[in-house]
Amino acid sequence: QVQLVESGGGVVQPGRSLRLSCAASGFPFSSYGMHWVRQAPGKGLEWVAFISYDGSPKHYTDSVKGRFTVSRDNSKNMLYLQMNSLRAEDTSVYYCAKDRDEGGSCPSDHWGQGTLVTVSS
Amino acid sequence: DIVMTQSPDSLAVSLGERATINCKSSQTVLYSSKNKNYLAWYQQKPGQPPKLLIYWASTRESGVPDRFSGSGSGTDFTLTISSLQAEDVAVYYCQQYYSLRSFGQGTKVEIK
């Protein structure tokens, strides 16, 4: 069955960096687009980033452009989110999510359990 | 950017009664050439990730009970729970996937 397991969260000071990972299994990872979605404590869902099945194109929400970089290693079935210049408002649970369809332009049908990132001094 | 707005922010419904959640997009999410609305609904229970319920505005995901239904086109959409069950207590989100992705702010459904 499809499994997505995020890791790498933790407490980090403002201005510092963190890299999140998402280990995928149970489906042909290299055939699907992947997303990062975040949720601040007690708040709603916010889409963060997308990477196509083969690594290009990539898209970001405006608030993280120039600070966050999404990448993937299809040989390892891994998705990453490099987060630089972190701000307090980046504090959230970060979920990785899989495109439902190989062709893209579709919702996400499987999500990980999330990893919490807390940006605080 | 497409902004998604849900109403109401919360609602309380008696067990067995109908719950209706609305979602409005700031621009159309209907891809005319394909005649498809790029609109999905998710359910999120406390401490859990979101679960896909409905896509293409009205297609139920496999395994989703038929008391959940979606309707609408263009910019106005509705999620209906025909007979609310205790396990349906959750926050529900609409999402457009017409242009990148964006979510509504969520609607919390509770038992009256």
Side-chain angles (χ1 to χ4, degrees):
Chain A
Q1 75 279 22
V2 173
Q3 272 202 304
L4 298 169
V5 180
E6 303 92 340
S7 61
V11 180
V12 61
Q13 292 180 328
R16 303 299 292 265
S17 300
L18 206 60
R19 187 176 87 151
L20 305 183
S21 300
C22 172
S25 61
F27 67 101
F29 180 72
S30 62
S31 296
Y32 288 84
M34 298 291 295
H35 301 261
W36 288 99
V37 175
R38 67 185 179 183
Q39 187 168 36
K43 302 299 183 183
L45 301 170
E46 181 185 23
W47 173 79
V48 174
F50 165 79
I51 184 168
S52 182
Y53 68 99
D54 60 355
S56 182
K58 304 175 185 180
H59 298 292
Y60 302 90
T61 192
D62 286 347
S63 62
V64 308
K65 281 179 184 174
R67 300 190 300 122
F68 289 12
T69 302
V70 60
S71 63
R72 64 191 298 161
D73 185 337
N74 285 345
S75 68
K76 296 181 179 179
N77 287 358
M78 293 293 296
L79 175 72
Y80 304 102
L81 185 67
Q82 177 67 43
M83 304 186 295
N84 299 332
S85 303
L86 282 161
R87 305 166 180 167
E89 53 266 34
D90 295 319
T91 295
S92 289
V93 172
Y94 285 75
Y95 296 101
C96 64
K98 164 192 166 292
D99 264 352
R100 184 183 184 280
D101 303 322
E102 290 188 15
S105 294
C106 59
S108 297
D109 65 342
H110 287 89
W111 299 60
Q113 289 297 313
T115 187
L116 176 63
V117 173
T118 303
V119 184
S120 173
S121 54
Chain B
D1 293 3
I2 299 178
V3 177
M4 309 300 289
T5 304
Q6 292 180 226
S7 61
D9 289 334
S10 65
L11 75 160
V13 177
S14 300
L15 289 172
E17 295 301 305
R18 178 183 302 258
T20 301
I21 301 169
N22 300 301
C23 174
K24 188 173 184 68
S25 57
S26 61
Q27 63 190 75
T28 187
V29 298
L30 172 63
Y31 197 143
S32 303
S33 61
K34 298 187 177 183
N35 196 30
K36 285 189 171 183
N37 288 282
Y38 285 51
L39 189 286
W41 289 96
Y42 295 85
Q43 174 193 66
Q44 188 180 33
K45 297 181 179 180
Q48 296 184 18
K51 174 187 174 184
L52 178 64
L53 296 177
I54 303 278
Y55 57 99
W56 303 131
S58 60
T59 301
R60 260 189 311 275
E61 177 70 322
S62 176
V64 173
D66 60 7
R67 63 181 180 271
F68 291 93
S69 64
S71 63
S73 184
T75 61
D76 293 279
F77 300 91
T78 300
L79 174 70
T80 301
I81 309 173
S82 60
S83 176
L84 191 74
Q85 305 300 303
E87 61 265 33
D88 301 334
V89 169
V91 179
Y92 293 83
Y93 295 92
C94 61
Q95 180 206 42
Q96 66 80 19
Y97 45 97
Y98 182 92
S99 174
L100 301 181
R101 305 287 186 276
S102 53
F103 292 92
Q105 79 276 18
T107 296
K108 186 175 185 178
V109 174
E110 300 173 306
I111 304 295
K112 185 187 293 182

